[in-house]
Amino acid sequence: MQIYYPSCNFTAASPEAAKKIRAYLSERMPVAGCCRLDQKYDGEEAIYFCQACRQTLEARAEQNGQTLQSENLFVYLTKDRLFPWPDYSGLTVNVQDCWRDREHPEIFDAVRLALQKMHIEVHEIDEIREKSRFCGNLHFEPSKPENIRLMQQYDGLPIEKMPPEVEKALMREQVEKYTEKLTVAYCNRCLRGIRTGGGKGVHLLELAVGTYNG
């Protein structure tokens, strides 16, 4: 049995989109509560889109001596012949791949197929797919000498605990790599990082359910 795990962070940030995808999927499968608290569906196949949810479910499955059976939501949706993809013809974007998905090439493929189904043109940046070194303030590998020195100055401290001006400078370096006005992310951390750095970002799920209005 497949179980949908919604992302608490996405729900808080994009309640309308979260409500729409929940309504669609609830007609096809049970919907779990918070991945950290709801354990009644352990052992079933998880449909997820949040990297943190995946990590939580994987860790709990390992503790139980199991291997997590899961499928990314965008992989699921691109195989769903009934899903009503919106049409964004004329929209051109960059895609920010997530560092945490570096071992999941099927997600990279599904993200681009989803954008294709919505008639969105993608202009790729250099660091794509498994070459991504970015996950917002969770993971970033700077190349600018001044930002390398910043990271060294706070060696061992998570970016999210660094002073706001330091985090903003690091995120701005990533935003400078984008060539389009809009960047699509499919990770909550990546999206927050893009916006912290002054970029214009949108979550892929907002596009997919039609709540993005530019």
Side-chain angles (χ1 to χ4, degrees), residues 121-132:
E121 183 177 353
V122 176
H123 286 180
E124 300 282 16
I125 61 175
D126 291 335
E127 298 171 0
I128 63 170
R129 298 177 179 261
E130 70 280 352
K131 294 190 293 184
S132 176

Side-chain angles (χ1 to χ4, degrees), residues 12 24 38-39 49 79 85 88 92 100 127 138 194 209:
Y24 181 81
D38 191 348
Q39 300 184 29
F49 68 95
K79 295 189 296 184
W85 297 98
Y88 293 99
T92 303
R100 283 185 286 177
E127 298 171 0
L138 182 67
I194 291 167
V209 298

Side-chain angles (χ1 to χ4, degrees), residues 33-183:
C34 174
C35 64
R36 297 182 183 276
L37 303 175
D38 191 348
Q39 300 184 29
K40 63 179 176 289
Y41 297 116
D42 285 3
E44 304 290 351
E45 182 183 8
I47 303 298
Y48 74 93
F49 68 95
C50 171
Q51 290 80 0
C53 289
R54 181 182 66 217
Q55 291 173 333
T56 297
L57 295 170
E58 284 177 340
R60 192 160 66 240
E62 184 177 357
Q63 289 175 354
N64 295 334
Q66 300 171 330
T67 298
L68 178 67
Q69 301 298 313
S70 66
E71 183 172 62
N72 179 270
L73 175 62
F74 299 112
V75 175
Y76 173 89
L77 291 177
T78 53
K79 295 189 296 184
D80 182 352
R81 296 182 179 180
L82 298 178
F83 186 73
W85 297 98
D87 187 342
Y88 293 99
S89 294
L91 182 62
T92 303
V93 302
N94 291 137
V95 173
Q96 177 57 65
D97 286 313
C98 180
W99 172 80
R100 283 185 286 177
D101 287 331
R102 61 197 181 280
E103 297 179 359
H104 292 273
E106 75 280 3
I107 298 178
F108 302 143
D109 292 339
V111 165
R112 287 155 177 82
L113 180 55
L115 292 168
Q116 180 182 329
K117 287 177 177 290
M118 293 184 282
H119 306 287
I120 298 173
E121 183 177 353
V122 176
H123 286 180
E124 300 282 16
I125 61 175
D126 291 335
E127 298 171 0
I128 63 170
R129 298 177 179 261
E130 70 280 352
K131 294 190 293 184
S132 176
R133 300 292 180 266
F134 185 73
C135 187
N137 63 8
L138 182 67
H139 182 89
F140 180 61
E141 300 175 19
S143 58
K144 284 186 173 182
E146 61 269 30
N147 285 340
I148 292 174
R149 288 194 294 268
L150 273 177
M151 293 285 277
Q152 292 171 340
Q153 181 180 345
Y154 295 94
D155 186 35
L157 189 69
I159 299 174
E160 62 184 330
K161 295 187 181 300
M162 294 180 186
E165 64 272 15
V166 174
E167 180 181 340
K168 186 174 182 178
L170 294 172
M171 298 300 99
R172 188 182 302 118
E173 178 178 333
Q174 186 67 20
V175 170
E176 289 172 355
K177 299 173 185 176
Y178 305 145
T179 61
E180 302 303 319
K181 294 180 179 179
L182 182 65
T183 300

Side-chain angles (χ1 to χ4, degrees), residues 2-6 21-22 25 29-32 47 49 73 205:
Q2 293 178 317
I3 310 295
Y4 172 53
Y5 283 84
I21 192 62
R22 183 187 186 100
L25 292 174
M29 65 187 75
V31 177
I47 303 298
F49 68 95
L73 175 62
L205 192 50

